[in-house]
Amino acid sequence: MTAFLDFEKQVAALDRQIAELREMGEDPTLNIENDIARLEAKSSKLLREIYAKLTPWQKTQVARHPDRPHFKHYVAGLFDDWMPLAGDRNFGDDQAILGGLARFRGRRVIVIGHEKGDDIPSRMKHNFGMAKPEGYRKAIRLMQLADRFGLPVVTLVDTSGAFPGIQAEERGQAEAIARSTEQCLALGVPMVAAIVGEGGSGGAIALAAANRVLMFEHAVYSVISPEGCASILWRTSDKAPEAAAAMKMAAEDLLALGVIDRIVPEPVGGAHRAPEVAIKALGDAIAEELGTLEEQPREALLLAREEKFLAMGRA
């Protein structure tokens, strides 16, 4: 059953009525198919209207939806011959960032991404997608491997930010994020990044300094969470909706600013309502971008990536 968000209460009420009618419909003496069809049409129309005018804060809630597809779902739906590679060859293995070798529609690639988990045990295992330094150093190692063997890199970003704990700081969190960002920019192979849920702070950019940055329609991408921004500016997280609007963290704003290159449409009601459709749409977009980038020589890829990020923020 779909978990409804606060702004979907009317849709939730209609869906409850439909469920109740379906239970009654098991009685052969009743004929309520027309009532069910009418309510389904009303629910679908209302959902389209709501999602056509989501605020940045509402998009943030959609991006965080627990049923939204995660890294493991994209790997299962888009990649063949998946072979995970573990460890940073220095400290250990961080399960918040996963990566490895795979085939993507006939291409050999390296795929890397954040994994949040989808139940309590897996969320604890993956630390809610908040990586420690060894996670970013694992990503660096895999990107260097891709460069050495001429394999395109695909990254899937979905994190509220890097892990802020004291252990991470002791092991060089800021340096690891900076090195990972630097490695993205230094790649001589095509790199496509996709913001599939939350793209939070340096924890996101460390995997997203790519030739092409794609973003789902209802994903968010920002330097800090709305709650964090509100706590700094207004001393209260209650102002998170205002902060979300001010930060221009929605896909359409970021496309206009040149921070991302392409918006990937989601099914009506968000990727969590039709995961297979969303996964296929992302796969089609990645394939198209890789097809364009593969025609470019190493020097052109490096120069284009450098110019792309240097141009951000310039008038």
PDB file of all heavy atoms in Angstrom, residues 2 5 8 47-48 51 54 62 65 68 218 266-274:
ATOM      1  N   THR A   2       0.494   2.236  -0.810  1.00  0.00           N
ATOM      2  CA  THR A   2       1.248   3.477  -0.904  1.00  0.00           C
ATOM      3  C   THR A   2       1.167   4.277   0.393  1.00  0.00           C
ATOM      4  O   THR A   2       0.092   4.422   0.970  1.00  0.00           O
ATOM      5  CB  THR A   2       0.722   4.347  -2.067  1.00  0.00           C
ATOM      6  OG1 THR A   2       0.826   3.611  -3.280  1.00  0.00           O
ATOM      7  CG2 THR A   2       1.530   5.633  -2.183  1.00  0.00           C
ATOM      8  N   LEU A   5       1.607  11.200   1.516  1.00  0.00           N
ATOM      9  CA  LEU A   5       2.232  12.370   2.114  1.00  0.00           C
ATOM     10  C   LEU A   5       1.153  13.330   2.617  1.00  0.00           C
ATOM     11  O   LEU A   5      -0.022  13.202   2.266  1.00  0.00           O
ATOM     12  CB  LEU A   5       3.133  13.050   1.084  1.00  0.00           C
ATOM     13  CG  LEU A   5       4.277  12.172   0.562  1.00  0.00           C
ATOM     14  CD1 LEU A   5       4.933  12.812  -0.657  1.00  0.00           C
ATOM     15  CD2 LEU A   5       5.313  11.907   1.641  1.00  0.00           C
ATOM     16  N   GLU A   8      -1.330  14.859   0.260  1.00  0.00           N
ATOM     17  CA  GLU A   8      -2.103  13.911  -0.536  1.00  0.00           C
ATOM     18  C   GLU A   8      -3.320  13.368   0.230  1.00  0.00           C
ATOM     19  O   GLU A   8      -3.869  12.339  -0.141  1.00  0.00           O
ATOM     20  CB  GLU A   8      -1.219  12.738  -0.954  1.00  0.00           C
ATOM     21  CG  GLU A   8      -0.051  13.110  -1.838  1.00  0.00           C
ATOM     22  CD  GLU A   8       0.857  11.929  -2.136  1.00  0.00           C
ATOM     23  OE1 GLU A   8       1.016  11.055  -1.250  1.00  0.00           O
ATOM     24  OE2 GLU A   8       1.409  11.876  -3.245  1.00  0.00           O
ATOM     25  N   LEU A  47      -4.743  13.645  -8.336  1.00  0.00           N
ATOM     26  CA  LEU A  47      -3.303  13.401  -8.200  1.00  0.00           C
ATOM     27  C   LEU A  47      -2.525  14.182  -9.250  1.00  0.00           C
ATOM     28  O   LEU A  47      -1.489  14.792  -8.952  1.00  0.00           O
ATOM     29  CB  LEU A  47      -3.020  11.900  -8.326  1.00  0.00           C
ATOM     30  CG  LEU A  47      -1.631  11.437  -7.886  1.00  0.00           C
ATOM     31  CD1 LEU A  47      -1.439  11.648  -6.395  1.00  0.00           C
ATOM     32  CD2 LEU A  47      -1.444   9.960  -8.240  1.00  0.00           C
ATOM     33  N   ARG A  48      -3.028  14.196 -10.486  1.00  0.00           N
ATOM     34  CA  ARG A  48      -2.364  14.959 -11.551  1.00  0.00           C
ATOM     35  C   ARG A  48      -2.349  16.449 -11.211  1.00  0.00           C
ATOM     36  O   ARG A  48      -1.334  17.126 -11.430  1.00  0.00           O
ATOM     37  CB  ARG A  48      -3.071  14.733 -12.888  1.00  0.00           C
ATOM     38  CG  ARG A  48      -2.789  13.389 -13.521  1.00  0.00           C
ATOM     39  CD  ARG A  48      -3.182  13.381 -14.995  1.00  0.00           C
ATOM     40  NE  ARG A  48      -4.610  13.677 -15.162  1.00  0.00           N
ATOM     41  CZ  ARG A  48      -5.559  12.754 -15.159  1.00  0.00           C
ATOM     42  NH1 ARG A  48      -5.241  11.479 -14.970  1.00  0.00           N
ATOM     43  NH2 ARG A  48      -6.832  13.086 -15.330  1.00  0.00           N
ATOM     44  N   TYR A  51       0.259  17.149  -8.361  1.00  0.00           N
ATOM     45  CA  TYR A  51       1.665  17.017  -8.761  1.00  0.00           C
ATOM     46  C   TYR A  51       2.064  17.991  -9.863  1.00  0.00           C
ATOM     47  O   TYR A  51       3.249  18.166 -10.137  1.00  0.00           O
ATOM     48  CB  TYR A  51       1.967  15.570  -9.168  1.00  0.00           C
ATOM     49  CG  TYR A  51       2.350  14.730  -7.966  1.00  0.00           C
ATOM     50  CD1 TYR A  51       1.379  14.275  -7.067  1.00  0.00           C
ATOM     51  CD2 TYR A  51       3.676  14.429  -7.689  1.00  0.00           C
ATOM     52  CE1 TYR A  51       1.718  13.543  -5.954  1.00  0.00           C
ATOM     53  CE2 TYR A  51       4.029  13.687  -6.573  1.00  0.00           C
ATOM     54  CZ  TYR A  51       3.047  13.251  -5.708  1.00  0.00           C
ATOM     55  OH  TYR A  51       3.392  12.532  -4.589  1.00  0.00           O
ATOM     56  N   LEU A  54       3.479  21.221  -7.436  1.00  0.00           N
ATOM     57  CA  LEU A  54       4.168  20.966  -6.171  1.00  0.00           C
ATOM     58  C   LEU A  54       5.102  22.118  -5.815  1.00  0.00           C
ATOM     59  O   LEU A  54       5.777  22.684  -6.677  1.00  0.00           O
ATOM     60  CB  LEU A  54       4.994  19.681  -6.256  1.00  0.00           C
ATOM     61  CG  LEU A  54       4.243  18.352  -6.343  1.00  0.00           C
ATOM     62  CD1 LEU A  54       5.245  17.216  -6.413  1.00  0.00           C
ATOM     63  CD2 LEU A  54       3.295  18.161  -5.175  1.00  0.00           C
ATOM     64  N   VAL A  62       8.533  14.328  -1.541  1.00  0.00           N
ATOM     65  CA  VAL A  62       8.436  13.262  -2.533  1.00  0.00           C
ATOM     66  C   VAL A  62       9.807  12.605  -2.735  1.00  0.00           C
ATOM     67  O   VAL A  62       9.918  11.374  -2.818  1.00  0.00           O
ATOM     68  CB  VAL A  62       7.907  13.807  -3.878  1.00  0.00           C
ATOM     69  CG1 VAL A  62       7.895  12.713  -4.940  1.00  0.00           C
ATOM     70  CG2 VAL A  62       6.510  14.383  -3.710  1.00  0.00           C
ATOM     71  N   HIS A  65      10.487  10.055  -0.124  1.00  0.00           N
ATOM     72  CA  HIS A  65       9.467   9.023   0.104  1.00  0.00           C
ATOM     73  C   HIS A  65      10.128   7.656   0.303  1.00  0.00           C
ATOM     74  O   HIS A  65      10.998   7.259  -0.478  1.00  0.00           O
ATOM     75  CB  HIS A  65       8.505   8.962  -1.085  1.00  0.00           C
ATOM     76  CG  HIS A  65       7.229   8.253  -0.757  1.00  0.00           C
ATOM     77  ND1 HIS A  65       7.153   6.883  -0.622  1.00  0.00           N
ATOM     78  CD2 HIS A  65       5.966   8.714  -0.518  1.00  0.00           C
ATOM     79  CE1 HIS A  65       5.911   6.538  -0.342  1.00  0.00           C
ATOM     80  NE2 HIS A  65       5.175   7.629  -0.261  1.00  0.00           N
ATOM     81  N   ARG A  68      10.342   5.176  -2.668  1.00  0.00           N
ATOM     82  CA  ARG A  68      11.014   5.582  -3.899  1.00  0.00           C
ATOM     83  C   ARG A  68      12.113   4.569  -4.244  1.00  0.00           C
ATOM     84  O   ARG A  68      12.758   4.032  -3.342  1.00  0.00           O
ATOM     85  CB  ARG A  68      11.613   6.973  -3.692  1.00  0.00           C
ATOM     86  CG  ARG A  68      11.887   7.739  -4.955  1.00  0.00           C
ATOM     87  CD  ARG A  68      12.263   9.182  -4.630  1.00  0.00           C
ATOM     88  NE  ARG A  68      12.675   9.885  -5.823  1.00  0.00           N
ATOM     89  CZ  ARG A  68      11.854  10.495  -6.655  1.00  0.00           C
ATOM     90  NH1 ARG A  68      10.546  10.492  -6.394  1.00  0.00           N
ATOM     91  NH2 ARG A  68      12.289  11.126  -7.724  1.00  0.00           N
ATOM     92  N   HIS A 218      10.948  15.113  -9.644  1.00  0.00           N
ATOM     93  CA  HIS A 218      10.606  15.446  -8.259  1.00  0.00           C
ATOM     94  C   HIS A 218      11.759  15.179  -7.290  1.00  0.00           C
ATOM     95  O   HIS A 218      11.533  15.045  -6.081  1.00  0.00           O
ATOM     96  CB  HIS A 218       9.361  14.672  -7.828  1.00  0.00           C
ATOM     97  CG  HIS A 218       8.164  14.929  -8.686  1.00  0.00           C
ATOM     98  ND1 HIS A 218       7.743  16.203  -9.016  1.00  0.00           N
ATOM     99  CD2 HIS A 218       7.309  14.078  -9.316  1.00  0.00           C
ATOM    100  CE1 HIS A 218       6.680  16.118  -9.797  1.00  0.00           C
ATOM    101  NE2 HIS A 218       6.396  14.861  -9.993  1.00  0.00           N
ATOM    102  N   GLU A 266       8.829  11.880 -14.271  1.00  0.00           N
ATOM    103  CA  GLU A 266       8.407  10.790 -13.393  1.00  0.00           C
ATOM    104  C   GLU A 266       6.956  10.442 -13.679  1.00  0.00           C
ATOM    105  O   GLU A 266       6.201  11.265 -14.212  1.00  0.00           O
ATOM    106  CB  GLU A 266       8.548  11.206 -11.925  1.00  0.00           C
ATOM    107  CG  GLU A 266       9.979  11.446 -11.478  1.00  0.00           C
ATOM    108  CD  GLU A 266      10.088  11.649  -9.971  1.00  0.00           C
ATOM    109  OE1 GLU A 266       9.269  11.076  -9.219  1.00  0.00           O
ATOM    110  OE2 GLU A 266      11.006  12.386  -9.549  1.00  0.00           O
ATOM    111  N   PRO A 267       6.540   9.239 -13.318  1.00  0.00           N
ATOM    112  CA  PRO A 267       5.118   8.895 -13.433  1.00  0.00           C
ATOM    113  C   PRO A 267       4.277   9.844 -12.581  1.00  0.00           C
ATOM    114  O   PRO A 267       4.778  10.425 -11.607  1.00  0.00           O
ATOM    115  CB  PRO A 267       5.054   7.465 -12.880  1.00  0.00           C
ATOM    116  CG  PRO A 267       6.454   6.961 -12.940  1.00  0.00           C
ATOM    117  CD  PRO A 267       7.349   8.142 -12.778  1.00  0.00           C
ATOM    118  N   VAL A 268       3.017  10.012 -12.946  1.00  0.00           N
ATOM    119  CA  VAL A 268       2.124  10.866 -12.154  1.00  0.00           C
ATOM    120  C   VAL A 268       2.077  10.352 -10.715  1.00  0.00           C
ATOM    121  O   VAL A 268       1.848   9.165 -10.479  1.00  0.00           O
ATOM    122  CB  VAL A 268       0.699  10.877 -12.747  1.00  0.00           C
ATOM    123  CG1 VAL A 268      -0.244  11.670 -11.841  1.00  0.00           C
ATOM    124  CG2 VAL A 268       0.716  11.474 -14.140  1.00  0.00           C
ATOM    125  N   GLY A 269       2.332  11.251  -9.767  1.00  0.00           N
ATOM    126  CA  GLY A 269       2.347  10.844  -8.369  1.00  0.00           C
ATOM    127  C   GLY A 269       3.718  10.445  -7.863  1.00  0.00           C
ATOM    128  O   GLY A 269       3.853  10.038  -6.711  1.00  0.00           O
ATOM    129  N   GLY A 270       4.747  10.563  -8.700  1.00  0.00           N
ATOM    130  CA  GLY A 270       6.098  10.279  -8.246  1.00  0.00           C
ATOM    131  C   GLY A 270       6.600   8.897  -8.617  1.00  0.00           C
ATOM    132  O   GLY A 270       5.821   7.989  -8.919  1.00  0.00           O
ATOM    133  N   ALA A 271       7.928   8.732  -8.582  1.00  0.00           N
ATOM    134  CA  ALA A 271       8.564   7.470  -8.970  1.00  0.00           C
ATOM    135  C   ALA A 271       8.127   6.304  -8.090  1.00  0.00           C
ATOM    136  O   ALA A 271       8.137   5.154  -8.526  1.00  0.00           O
ATOM    137  CB  ALA A 271      10.085   7.626  -8.918  1.00  0.00           C
ATOM    138  N   HIS A 272       7.738   6.586  -6.842  1.00  0.00           N
ATOM    139  CA  HIS A 272       7.355   5.509  -5.935  1.00  0.00           C
ATOM    140  C   HIS A 272       6.040   4.842  -6.333  1.00  0.00           C
ATOM    141  O   HIS A 272       5.762   3.724  -5.891  1.00  0.00           O
ATOM    142  CB  HIS A 272       7.262   6.036  -4.494  1.00  0.00           C
ATOM    143  CG  HIS A 272       6.308   7.169  -4.319  1.00  0.00           C
ATOM    144  ND1 HIS A 272       6.627   8.466  -4.637  1.00  0.00           N
ATOM    145  CD2 HIS A 272       5.021   7.196  -3.857  1.00  0.00           C
ATOM    146  CE1 HIS A 272       5.592   9.246  -4.369  1.00  0.00           C
ATOM    147  NE2 HIS A 272       4.613   8.504  -3.894  1.00  0.00           N
ATOM    148  N   ARG A 273       5.228   5.524  -7.153  1.00  0.00           N
ATOM    149  CA  ARG A 273       3.949   4.933  -7.551  1.00  0.00           C
ATOM    150  C   ARG A 273       4.094   3.986  -8.741  1.00  0.00           C
ATOM    151  O   ARG A 273       3.241   3.103  -8.930  1.00  0.00           O
ATOM    152  CB  ARG A 273       2.941   6.041  -7.878  1.00  0.00           C
ATOM    153  CG  ARG A 273       2.313   6.638  -6.627  1.00  0.00           C
ATOM    154  CD  ARG A 273       1.142   7.544  -6.961  1.00  0.00           C
ATOM    155  NE  ARG A 273       0.320   7.796  -5.783  1.00  0.00           N
ATOM    156  CZ  ARG A 273       0.595   8.698  -4.853  1.00  0.00           C
ATOM    157  NH1 ARG A 273       1.684   9.453  -4.995  1.00  0.00           N
ATOM    158  NH2 ARG A 273      -0.181   8.849  -3.805  1.00  0.00           N
ATOM    159  N   ALA A 274       5.116   4.157  -9.542  1.00  0.00           N
ATOM    160  CA  ALA A 274       5.351   3.266 -10.682  1.00  0.00           C
ATOM    161  C   ALA A 274       6.866   3.129 -10.883  1.00  0.00           C
ATOM    162  O   ALA A 274       7.426   3.696 -11.817  1.00  0.00           O
ATOM    163  CB  ALA A 274       4.673   3.808 -11.933  1.00  0.00           C
TER     164      ALA A 274
END
